[in-house]
């Protein structure tokens, strides 16, 4: 299975929701936050975050996870914007990190490659006999 930029479903707000930031959602998030995904990870993981970083990330993560946009807007209004920002900052961080890097519990896709040669401790430069 390849990494699909999703996390969850997670218990949040009034239910259990999957979150996903695909390419389209990441593009919209860049416009909404006026920064790229890596900078947003740094902001949310540090002390330089903005309240819009949290709400836009969660809203677009819900939409990318399959929730209809009007319900995502309502949930964010009720459970993000009506609450203290720190309650949802780490959720937003996890959503953007999964969107950029993949979720930590997703297995990496196995790649086919050449088999490694067996290593040997025998020298190939001499016959091993002493003079």
């Amino acid at each position: 299975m390849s990494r699909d930029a999703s996390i969850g479903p997670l218990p949040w707000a009034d239910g259990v929701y999957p979150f996903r930031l695909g390419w389209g959602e990441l593009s919209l998030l860049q416009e909404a936050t006026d920064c790229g995904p890596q900078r947003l990870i740094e902001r949310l993981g540090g002390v330089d975050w903005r309240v819009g970083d949290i709400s836009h990330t969660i809203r677009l993560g819900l939409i990318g996870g399959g929730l209809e946009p009007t319900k995502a807007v309502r949930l964010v209004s009720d459970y993000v914007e009506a609450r203290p920002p720190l309650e949802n900052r780490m959720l937003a961080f996890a959503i953007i990190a999964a969107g950029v890097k993949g979720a930590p519990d997703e297995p990496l896709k196995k790649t086919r490659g050449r088999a490694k040669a067996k290593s040997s401790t025998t020298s190939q430069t001499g016959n091993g006999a002493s003079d």
Side-chain angles (χ1 to χ4, degrees):
M1 167 174 38
S2 66
R3 293 181 178 238
D4 72 351
S6 67
I7 188 168
L10 299 175
W12 177 76
D14 63 356
V16 178
Y17 298 94
F19 298 87
R20 181 178 185 275
L21 291 176
W23 197 269
E25 291 84 19
L26 286 171
S27 181
L28 292 171
L29 188 57
Q30 280 185 158
E31 291 177 27
T33 60
D34 196 31
C35 71
Q38 185 60 44
R39 178 68 181 126
L40 187 56
I41 288 172
E42 292 168 6
R43 283 195 332 208
L44 286 168
V47 297
D48 202 22
W49 54 270
R50 302 171 184 176
V51 292
D53 296 344
I54 298 166
S55 60
H56 292 306
T57 301
I58 294 172
R59 178 180 54 83
L60 289 168
L62 286 164
I63 293 168
L67 195 63
E68 96 180 36
T70 55
K71 184 165 184 187
V73 168
R74 183 186 59 77
L75 285 171
V76 168
S77 175
D78 292 348
Y79 294 98
V80 177
E81 295 168 351
R83 306 289 309 153
L86 290 179
E87 283 186 11
N88 287 288
R89 183 176 64 99
M90 292 314 294
L91 173 62
F93 178 85
I95 293 168
I96 185 68
V100 173
K101 301 175 186 176
D105 60 345
E106 280 185 290
L108 290 172
K109 183 177 180 180
K110 291 186 179 183
T111 58
R112 291 183 149 183
R114 284 185 8 189
K116 290 184 179 179
K118 292 184 179 182
S119 62
S120 172
T121 57
T122 306
S123 171
Q124 295 181 7
T125 58
N127 63 9
S130 56
D131 294 15

